Amino acid sequence: MVTIYDIAAQANVSAMTVSRVINNTGKISEKTRLKVKKVMDELGYVPNQMARSLVLQQTRILFLLITDIMNPFYTTLARGAEDAARKHGYRLLFGNSDESLDKEGEYINTILTTRVDGALLAPAGDPSLPHLEQLRKHNVPFVLLDREVPGIACDIVLGDSKEGARSLVEHLVKQGHRRIALVNGSSSISSARLRLQGFQEAMKLNDLTLRERDIHETTFGPHLDVEAMGQWIDTMVMDSMPSAIMAGNNVLAVVLIRLLRARGLRIPEDISVVCFDDFGLNSEMDPFITVAAQQAYQFGYLGMQMLIERIQERNSPPPWKRIMLPAELIVRNSVKTQG
C-alpha cells in the first residue's frame, strides 16, 4: 500500500506537505500542490478515509433517508440531493424507511454509528419526533424534506401542499364538477393534513357540500390498504358516485385508477381523477393524469445545499431556514368537462 512517505520521497517534499495536500489544509503553493497530486496519481494512492476523518473530524459522508423509493417524487429528489452532494465533495449514503417508524429508527442508528457529517430526511410522520431529538442530542446536523414534525425546530424544504390541493379542486370546479371526493394519506403526516385543508377550503369557497364519507384516509406509501380503498369506492358507487376524485399523491392515484377500472369505470368518461405529485418519466410517455406537480429535483438539491451550509456553520445559532416550493398545475386528459 502506498503511503504519504512514499509520495513525499518521490515528490521531494515533506510528509507534512503531502498531508496538507490530501486534506486541503495549510498554505501550499499551487505548483507544489500539482506536483504532489501528480505523484499521487502515478503511484495510485488511495487516501485512508478513516484516518482523514479522525484528523479533520469529518467523514465527508452524508445520509439521505426517504420514505418510498418506488415513488417517482423521491427518486427524482434523490437525484437532486446526490448532485448537490457531489458538487460540494461529499459522498451520499441512502436509506428507505417505507413509511415505517421501526425501519426509520434503524436508519437513525445507522446515521449515528457511521459518523456521517449530516442527514437529509423525509420523516415518516409526526411520531418521528424522538428520532429527530436523538440526532439533535448527538449533535448531528439535519434538514427535513417535504414533511414537518411538530416539536422540532430545524431547517426544512417544503412544498405548498395546501395551495396545490386548492388548485386541483379549482380546476375541477371550472370543469363543472360539483361532487368531488378525496383519498389521502395519514393525518399523522403534515403534507397530508395540508392537502386535506386545501381541499376543504376550496370546496367551501365554491359552496360545495363535502360529505364525510367522500373522504378516505389511508397511507401514502407501500403499506396502503388496497382492500379498504376498494370498499370505500364500492360504498360511493352504491350511494351515487362523485364525478371526480382527488388523490393525495401519485401512489394513491395509481391504486385508485386500478380499482376504478377493475369496477368497469373509465377515466375520464365515467369519473375524473386528479392527484398531487407527478409521475416522473412515465408522465412524459403517457401524459394522462392532471396533477399538481412538485419540484422534486429542487427539493433534494436545495435541501442538500442547506444541510452542507448547516454543517459548515454548525456552531452558528439559528434562525432556521425554511424554503416553500410551489406546486404547478399540469392539465392533461383525466378530467371530463361536466354539463
Side-chain angles (χ1 to χ4, degrees):
M1 182 178 293
V2 178
T3 69
I4 63 172
Y5 301 102
D6 299 325
I7 297 167
Q10 181 117 349
N12 197 27
V13 297
S14 68
M16 179 61 72
T17 297
V18 176
S19 177
R20 286 174 175 170
V21 171
I22 293 171
N23 295 310
N24 197 27
T25 58
K27 293 183 178 180
I28 302 172
S29 71
E30 187 62 20
K31 181 179 179 180
T32 299
R33 188 181 304 277
L34 291 174
K35 180 171 70 170
V36 170
K37 285 190 173 182
K38 181 180 179 183
V39 173
M40 289 168 59
D41 290 340
E42 290 173 350
L43 297 180
Y45 175 72
V46 178
N48 185 324
Q49 295 296 335
M50 183 67 73
R52 287 186 68 187
S53 67
L54 291 172
V55 171
L56 300 176
Q57 294 298 300
Q58 290 183 343
T59 61
R60 305 295 292 183
I61 299 174
L62 304 174
F63 203 102
L64 172 64
L65 180 58
I66 61 174
T67 61
D68 184 6
I69 188 59
M70 299 299 290
N71 187 330
F73 169 76
Y74 284 116
T75 54
T76 305
L77 180 154
R79 166 59 72 182
E82 182 191 26
D83 286 351
R86 287 179 60 84
K87 178 181 177 182
H88 291 88
Y90 286 85
R91 291 172 296 158
L92 194 60
L93 299 180
F94 170 83
N96 173 50
S97 72
D98 281 327
E99 303 278 5
S100 164
L101 279 172
D102 289 340
K103 197 172 178 182
E104 179 180 87
E106 293 171 2
Y107 277 120
I108 293 298
N109 289 333
T110 299
I111 290 170
L112 296 174
T113 56
T114 53
R115 297 181 68 251
V116 298
D117 293 340
L120 191 60
L121 309 101
D126 296 353
S128 298
L129 179 60
H131 296 158
L132 302 180
E133 289 176 334
Q134 199 174 1
L135 294 178
R136 178 78 31 96
K137 176 182 177 182
H138 289 86
N139 199 31
V140 177
F142 63 88
V143 171
L144 295 188
L145 296 172
D146 190 40
R147 303 171 178 183
E148 293 186 276
V149 174
I152 198 78
C154 62
D155 298 317
I156 189 166
V157 180
L158 293 170
D160 196 343
S161 287
K162 183 186 288 189
E163 187 57 37
R166 286 179 60 170
S167 71
L168 288 169
V169 175
E170 291 289 349
H171 173 69
L172 290 170
V173 171
K174 288 178 182 177
Q175 301 307 309
H177 294 272
R178 305 297 295 171
R179 184 179 171 194
I180 305 168
L182 170 69
V183 56
N184 198 25
S186 169
S187 57
S188 67
I189 297 173
S190 65
S191 56
R193 290 195 298 271
L194 289 169
R195 290 167 198 178
L196 173 60
Q197 289 175 23
F199 178 87
Q200 292 171 324
E201 288 180 9
M203 294 286 283
K204 184 176 181 180
L205 286 171
N206 288 281
D207 296 321
L208 300 182
T209 301
L210 181 57
R211 302 167 177 82
E212 184 177 342
R213 60 182 177 274
D214 285 348
I215 296 179
H216 180 69
E217 179 180 318
T218 179
T219 63
F220 276 147
H223 304 299
L224 67 91
D225 192 333
V226 176
E227 182 177 352
M229 193 190 299
Q231 292 171 353
W232 172 67
I233 293 171
D234 291 337
T235 300
M236 288 195 297
V237 169
M238 292 175 62
D239 186 44
S240 78
M241 198 70 174
S243 63
I245 302 178
M246 172 184 151
N249 81 345
N250 47 16
V251 174
L252 291 177
V254 170
V255 175
L256 173 65
I257 289 172
R258 286 174 181 166
L259 290 171
L260 291 171
R261 286 174 172 169
R263 286 156 176 77
L265 296 169
R266 301 165 299 165
I267 297 106
E269 292 84 358
D270 299 318
I271 187 166
S272 296
V273 173
V274 297
C275 82
F276 214 99
D277 286 335
D278 208 350
F279 293 82
L281 292 175
N282 291 331
S283 65
E284 298 177 8
M285 292 184 288
D286 183 12
F288 170 62
I289 303 178
T290 292
V291 300
Q294 298 197 88
Q295 302 174 51
Y297 183 90
Q298 291 299 108
F299 269 82
Y301 196 93
L302 294 175
M304 186 58 73
Q305 284 191 321
M306 290 173 69
L307 176 59
I308 292 170
E309 288 172 7
R310 182 59 62 185
I311 291 168
Q312 294 171 345
E313 305 166 4
R314 63 191 308 157
N315 295 322
S316 301
W320 304 108
K321 299 173 185 176
R322 181 186 181 92
I323 295 176
M324 179 79 78
L325 297 174
E328 176 188 5
L329 178 67
I330 301 177
V331 177
R332 297 195 179 114
N333 304 318
S334 62
V335 176
K336 179 183 177 182
T337 300
Q338 295 291 105

